[in-house]
Amino acid sequence: MSAISTSTNLPPLESGDRLTRYEFERRYQAMPQNIKAELIEGVVYLASPVRARGHGRPHAKIMTWLGTYAAATPGVDLQDNATVRLDADNEPQPDALLRIEPEVGGNSRISDDDYIEGTPELIVEIAASSAAYDLNDKLNAYRRNGVQEYIVWQSYENRLDWFNLEQGRYVLREPDTDGIIRSQIFPGLWLAVNALREGNMAEVLAVLQQGLQTAEHQAFVERLRS
């Protein structure tokens, strides 16, 4: 996929280009505002048009779940499609991310020019299928940079994978006997996996509310406030 640059002095970004992060940013800033591009392992990826059922709807459900958690957890920042300066070869634009503010122990910050720099604690991507680069090169970049929790919702298979970083490698989490995965980094962030996959947001939010009412979440909030 190619696109036309808005500047005659710069070549356009094209999928497959191998660029430094500096050159990627320079060309990206000259592109039309509706173009989404990422630099993953030094390679440019341009996003295809966003489909409603395949991407827009699951994305909205994830944002509703994470937004409810963030609203109840001061010191935690939710971002939607924000560019992340991860390292010299990686500048992804995750579908959603949850980060702890650096003042209370988080690993990323907002730069003076308004980009996220460093490693968010949790990242979510909506992928078409298991063949997507979200589960290949991007997964490796997130793992290497220490993203503690990585969730990929593959919309074609309607499969959700939740990875936790353990001793430098990603371990796939499985729901417990109640069908729930509980975040190890964000206490109280509970996900009813099958309810999400089935589109039952009432149950997703009810289970999340249970997590928000736990002593672990209250202790986490107190720690962030202090």
Side-chain angles (χ1 to χ4, degrees), residues 98-116:
L98 207 59
R99 52 184 289 275
I100 299 172
E101 296 288 5
E103 296 81 7
V104 288
N107 297 314
S108 62
R109 69 179 190 93
I110 307 296
S111 67
D112 292 339
D113 57 347
D114 203 26
Y115 289 99
I116 295 172

Side-chain angles (χ1 to χ4, degrees), residues 33-44:
Q33 290 298 310
N34 62 341
I35 297 296
K36 176 180 176 178
E38 299 182 292
L39 185 70
I40 305 299
E41 304 289 48
V43 178
V44 173

Side-chain angles (χ1 to χ4, degrees), residues 22-197:
Y22 170 80
E23 183 63 18
F24 168 75
E25 285 191 10
R26 200 166 72 100
R27 297 189 192 184
Y28 196 7
Q29 290 168 1
M31 298 289 285
Q33 290 298 310
N34 62 341
I35 297 296
K36 176 180 176 178
E38 299 182 292
L39 185 70
I40 305 299
E41 304 289 48
V43 178
V44 173
Y45 291 85
L46 291 180
S48 301
V50 175
R51 298 182 184 274
R53 288 189 295 269
H55 194 284
R57 185 176 294 164
H59 180 94
K61 295 181 189 305
I62 288 291
M63 292 303 296
T64 299
W65 171 61
L66 291 177
T68 302
Y69 181 83
T73 317
V76 167
D77 180 37
L78 171 64
Q79 296 280 340
D80 178 359
N81 272 297
T83 293
V84 180
R85 290 170 172 160
L86 203 56
D87 62 25
D89 294 317
N90 290 281
E91 191 163 312
Q93 192 171 329
D95 289 312
L97 65 86
L98 207 59
R99 52 184 289 275
I100 299 172
E101 296 288 5
E103 296 81 7
V104 288
N107 297 314
S108 62
R109 69 179 190 93
I110 307 296
S111 67
D112 292 339
D113 57 347
D114 203 26
Y115 289 99
I116 295 172
E117 294 183 342
T119 304
E121 282 70 27
L122 183 148
I123 285 178
V124 183
E125 299 280 11
I126 310 299
S129 73
S130 58
Y133 70 113
D134 302 272
L135 281 161
N136 294 281
D137 289 345
K138 193 181 285 188
L139 180 146
N140 288 329
Y142 289 159
R143 175 190 54 77
R144 193 173 62 252
N145 280 278
V147 175
Q148 294 296 309
E149 296 188 299
Y150 181 37
I151 300 171
V152 186
W153 189 353
Q154 300 144 62
S155 59
Y156 184 78
E157 296 101 333
N158 196 17
R159 173 190 172 98
L160 187 138
D161 289 336
W162 184 316
F163 300 95
N164 271 88
L165 190 64
E166 297 181 7
Q167 298 181 340
R169 65 188 184 94
Y170 273 141
V171 176
L172 186 63
R173 298 281 304 282
E174 296 291 343
D176 63 15
T177 54
D178 296 320
I180 299 170
I181 297 180
R182 296 167 172 83
S183 171
Q184 296 179 355
I185 304 302
F186 293 94
L189 183 62
W190 293 8
L191 179 61
V193 176
N194 285 338
L196 181 69
R197 292 171 57 243

